[in-house]
Amino acid sequence: MKSSSALLFFAALSVLMFAVFYSCTSGTGVSQTGDDGNGTADDDASDDDDTSSGDDDDDDASVDDDAGDDDDISDDDNADDDQADDDTSDDDTVFDDGIIQNGDFEMGRKIWVEQNGPIIVLGPDSYWGHAYQGKWLAYFGGYINADQSITQLFKIPQNTNWIEAGFVALIFTADTTTDNDVLNFELLDQSETTVLQSLQTLTNMDAYSNWRDYGGEKIYVNGAYDDQNVKLRIRVKNTDHTSGWDATHWHIDNVYFRIGK
């Protein structure tokens, strides 16, 4: 009986000691897990701080780089502007038509009045060719009995001492023996009934294979046309040839009318 009681006592004591041991080991395990979790959290926080700091550095560097790029772009733009200014100031091909408008015909058929046209045409074309500058030109003739003209109305200002007018022309023809075809460049009154000043006269005998400059000589008028409305006219008359192949072709560009006081 005593032996059985002793066995029961030792069995109960063993169970109790096992329970205590299990409880202690379980608590230690949770504590270690918590330490590991806290350590991981701290490490993550540290990593985040490092990452955030790195991102901030990258952002700052990006902003600085962008700012530097903007400065470079701005400098390039300024350089381009300076270059554009230089190009403009050095451009000696700008055409000066004086006190008339659209002398180079680059506004198309504006300002000028055509008779028996179209005369002001857009090149290049296989028939009327290329302009001297730009794309537009005035093309006259090319057929027999042609009678065509363009005129422009404008006003001569006060105290005009001299006038200067001209154009560039490309003229070609198969008729090189007789003055059959004529171009008149003249200053008319507003009604076109009176020729105030003959500025240039050309014939088919002036035909040449390249563009030529005609006019440019100063004509002293000493105020004779002050405050008058006048017309500048280019007129072409081709006579009756034996065939259309003989008719003169007249290409005109860069018409100008300038004055001096």
Side-chain angles (χ1 to χ4, degrees), residues 20-52:
V20 171
F21 175 77
Y22 178 80
S23 175
C24 290
T25 55
S26 297
T28 303
V30 171
S31 176
Q32 289 175 349
T33 304
D35 291 341
D36 291 342
N38 292 338
T40 302
D42 292 340
D43 291 341
D44 291 343
S46 176
D47 292 340
D48 289 342
D49 290 342
D50 293 340
T51 304
S52 175

Side-chain angles (χ1 to χ4, degrees), residues 17 20 32 34 59 69 73 86 88 91 103 106 111 121 125 132 136 146-147 149 180 185 187 196 198 212 228 241 247:
M17 290 177 65
V20 171
Q32 289 175 349
D59 291 341
D69 293 341
I73 293 171
D86 292 340
T88 302
D91 187 7
E106 292 307 302
I111 311 299
V121 294
D125 183 89
Y132 177 70
W136 290 81
D147 186 358
S149 67
N180 289 315
F185 183 42
L187 188 67
L196 302 177
S198 178
R212 275 188 170 181
Q228 289 190 39
H241 294 270

Side-chain angles (χ1 to χ4, degrees), residues 172-185:
F172 63 91
T173 184
D175 183 2
T176 58
T177 58
T178 308
D179 293 342
N180 289 315
D181 304 330
V182 180
L183 179 148
N184 288 306
F185 183 42

Side-chain angles (χ1 to χ4, degrees), residues 1-27:
M1 185 66 179
K2 291 180 180 180
S3 177
S4 298
S5 299
L7 289 173
L8 290 172
F9 172 79
F10 282 115
L13 181 63
S14 297
V15 171
L16 178 63
M17 290 177 65
F18 178 78
V20 171
F21 175 77
Y22 178 80
S23 175
C24 290
T25 55
S26 297

